[in-house]
């Protein structure tokens, strides 16, 4: 039996990554064009499941095939020092002839090899300075340049203000390296709300100047390939006999990367032994995907918000289409100014988008359905708002 090709899991590279040509092109041009090119500092934002992590992965692959050294991390408190003493130290050990005599301090003399994560000192005729992020990066970039004819790519996933001290340290080191003409690049990714918090901090002006990409909905043509090609490659088919099956599945994903994988995965497994994915399978697949999306996308996204933010969204969910701010304020029993404050917060978090003529709609697909299926809307609206 052919194996299900889809990957409805966070951070796992999909069978076919679609619609990321522009981001990858800007990045690769940045590597080729040299120091000062915009692609050498990129900032990627997008809601949960929009594909930030897998884009970072493929950016890393692109750099790796060009000989660049990769230093990647999920952002957290202490990440700068941790990178300096583990990944950067490890790469120096591997590529820097002057650093080969490294031995972990506190380890037994003559310990063989290098242990990532161990604090250590270089025992060398010319002792290396104690490694911090900046000195480590500079030395590694010099080694990458002279010995490999390449550079060092730093990727930071899930950037967040809780690690602001580390982000300052890292971006200042990058900025310094840029100024001195070193071959370094930074690509950072985070949720819209985290990134907008970060950008209001002036010490991260470096990030503000970075080339910014927002991962929005994927166009239908690309979604079609992202669903059909992996199915064909895995030995089944979706389009030839019943083209409407593919069209329904495409529509069901709403262009949302995580849902591409979920809808594909659920549709495949309805009758995995039959050669074709039918309209009926696609329909069942979409239903299953929407249910899963509640737990995997909507719940965590709502958890990130305040109670008032959530009431605002619940007030919107009562409408069948885009909502007016005046209606929302009325349903929440608050004045317009107060409602507008929350409108701004939710816009910055990219939970909602302007939908023309002062109206607002949801960013996450099926969030309205999710909110309506859960008690929060009832509690807010009272009996008259829901016929
Ligand atoms: N361009 C794409 N084409 C097809 N599938 C994609 C694409 N981007 C992401 N996916 C799929 O969507 C899912 C979510 O991707 P990913 O984990 O990168 O999202 P994320 O933005 O990092 O989410 P989070 O904010 O929760 O970390 C994965 O299953 C991935 O395979
Ligand atoms: Mg991620």
């Amino acid at each position: 039996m052919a194996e299900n090709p889809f990957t409805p899991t966070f951070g796992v590279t999909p069978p076919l990554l679609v619609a990321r040509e522009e981001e990858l092109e800007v990045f690769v041009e940045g590597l080729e064009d040299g120091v000062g090119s915009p692609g050498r500092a990129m900032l990627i934002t997008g809601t949960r499941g929009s594909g930030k992590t897998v884009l970072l992965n493929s950016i890393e692959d692109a750099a790796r095939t060009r000989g660049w050294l990769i230093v990647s991390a999920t952002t957290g408190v202490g990440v700068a020092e941790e990178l300096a003493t583990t990944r950067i130290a490890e790469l120096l050990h591997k590529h820097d002839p002057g650093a080969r005599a490294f031995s972990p301090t506190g380890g037994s003399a003559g310990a063989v090899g290098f242990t990532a994560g161990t604090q250590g000192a270089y025992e060398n005729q010319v002792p290396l300075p104690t490694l911090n992020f900046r000195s480590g990066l500079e030395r590694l970039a010099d080694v990458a340049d002279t010995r490999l004819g390449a550079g060092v790519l730093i990727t930071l996933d899930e950037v967040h203000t809780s690690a602001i001290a580390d982000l300052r340290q890292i971006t200042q080191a990058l900025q310094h390296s840029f100024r001195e003409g070193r071959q370094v690049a930074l690509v950072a990714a985070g949720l819209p709300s985290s990134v907008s918090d970060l950008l209001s901090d002036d010490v991260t002006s470096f990030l503000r100047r970075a080339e910014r990409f927002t991962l929005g909905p994927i166009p239908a043509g690309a979604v079609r390939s992202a669903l059909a090609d992996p199915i064909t490659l895995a030995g089944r088919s979706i389009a030839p006999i019943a083209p409407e099956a593919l069209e329904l599945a495409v529509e069901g994903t709403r262009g949302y990367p995580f849902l591409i994988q979920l809808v594909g995965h659920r549709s495949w497994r309805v009758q995995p032994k039959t050669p074709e994915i039918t309209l009926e399978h696609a329909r069942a697949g979409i239903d299953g995907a929407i249910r899963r999306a509640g737990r995997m996308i909507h719940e965590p996204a709502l958890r990130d918000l305040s109670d008032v933010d959530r009431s605002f969204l619940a007030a919107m969910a009562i409408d069948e289409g885009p909502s007016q701010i005046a209606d929302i304020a009325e349903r929440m029993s608050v004045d317009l100014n107060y409602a507008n404050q929350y409108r701004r917060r939710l816009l910055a978090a990219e939970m909602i988008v302007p939908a023309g003529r002062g109206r607002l709609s949801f960013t996450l697909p099926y969030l309205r359905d999710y909110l309506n299926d859960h008690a929060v809307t009832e509690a807010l609206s009272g009996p008259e708002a829901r016929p």
Side-chain angles (χ1 to χ4, degrees), residues 33-352:
D33 291 354
V35 183
S37 165
R40 294 262 171 131
M42 290 171 54
L43 180 56
I44 297 159
T45 68
T47 48
R48 282 180 189 285
S50 60
K52 299 178 292 297
T53 301
V54 302
L55 176 57
L56 282 183
N57 292 345
S58 68
I59 281 174
E60 289 166 11
D61 290 343
R64 202 173 288 116
T65 59
R66 285 163 182 79
W68 279 55
L69 302 178
I70 318 294
V71 175
S72 68
T74 299
T75 313
V77 176
V79 69
E81 194 197 329
E82 195 187 313
L83 283 177
T85 55
T86 57
R87 181 68 180 150
I88 290 179
E90 188 187 336
L91 285 168
L92 277 172
H93 180 70
K94 187 166 169 202
H95 296 285
D96 183 352
R100 294 253 163 85
F102 181 92
S103 75
T105 48
S108 57
V112 184
F114 172 82
T115 318
T118 320
Q119 290 280 354
Y122 288 95
E123 290 168 0
N124 208 8
Q125 275 94 341
V126 189
L128 287 174
T130 319
L131 275 191
N132 61 27
F133 185 84
R134 178 165 147 189
S135 59
L137 174 67
E138 289 175 357
R139 172 130 190 177
L140 189 61
D142 293 342
V143 168
D145 196 1
T146 52
R147 296 182 60 87
L148 310 169
V152 180
L153 166 66
I154 310 283
T155 68
L156 294 174
D157 200 0
E158 297 178 19
V159 292
H160 198 274
T161 39
S162 62
I164 188 82
D166 291 274
L167 289 169
R168 273 181 203 146
Q169 204 183 327
I170 292 171
T171 54
Q172 279 164 5
L174 259 300
Q175 197 155 15
H176 193 256
S177 276
F178 276 159
R179 231 180 280 130
E180 295 194 334
R182 288 193 170 85
Q183 302 293 331
V184 292
L186 172 74
V187 184
L191 290 169
S193 51
S194 311
V195 167
S196 65
D197 287 351
L198 266 183
L199 297 188
S200 51
D201 185 306
D202 48 276
V203 193
T204 50
S205 62
F206 178 84
L207 281 182
R208 243 196 331 266
R209 289 196 300 268
E211 189 87 351
R212 184 105 178 249
F213 294 91
T214 301
L215 304 183
I218 292 184
V223 176
R224 213 168 281 134
S225 317
L227 285 170
D229 295 3
I231 290 171
T232 314
L233 210 67
R236 297 178 72 197
S237 65
I238 179 163
I241 299 170
E244 56 287 6
L246 180 58
E247 290 319 305
L248 187 78
V250 168
E251 162 61 29
T253 69
R254 304 278 168 93
Y256 193 65
F258 189 72
L259 278 176
I260 297 177
Q261 301 308 316
L262 258 184
V263 168
H265 193 262
R266 306 299 300 183
S267 306
W268 174 286
R269 50 171 297 171
V270 180
Q271 287 278 329
K273 289 182 187 151
T274 60
E276 176 146 0
I277 293 176
T278 65
L279 187 61
E280 191 192 319
H281 300 165
R283 205 170 278 133
I286 294 167
D287 287 346
I290 294 173
R291 276 199 304 279
R292 290 259 160 151
R295 223 170 353 99
M296 301 182 82
I297 302 168
H298 302 133
E299 271 175 34
L302 291 168
R303 213 179 298 132
D304 291 341
L305 305 172
S306 74
D307 285 347
V308 184
D309 289 330
R310 281 193 288 266
S311 321
F312 189 105
L313 296 174
M316 280 178 66
I318 291 166
D319 293 312
E320 269 165 23
S323 306
Q324 297 283 358
I325 187 76
D327 294 339
I328 299 168
E330 196 187 318
R331 288 168 195 160
M332 293 174 75
S333 316
V334 298
D335 67 34
L336 212 53
N337 270 342
Y338 186 84
N340 268 317
Q341 249 177 343
Y342 284 88
R343 174 180 151 271
R344 273 193 296 276
R345 283 164 52 92
L346 288 163
L347 282 169
E350 288 177 30
M351 288 300 291
I352 57 175

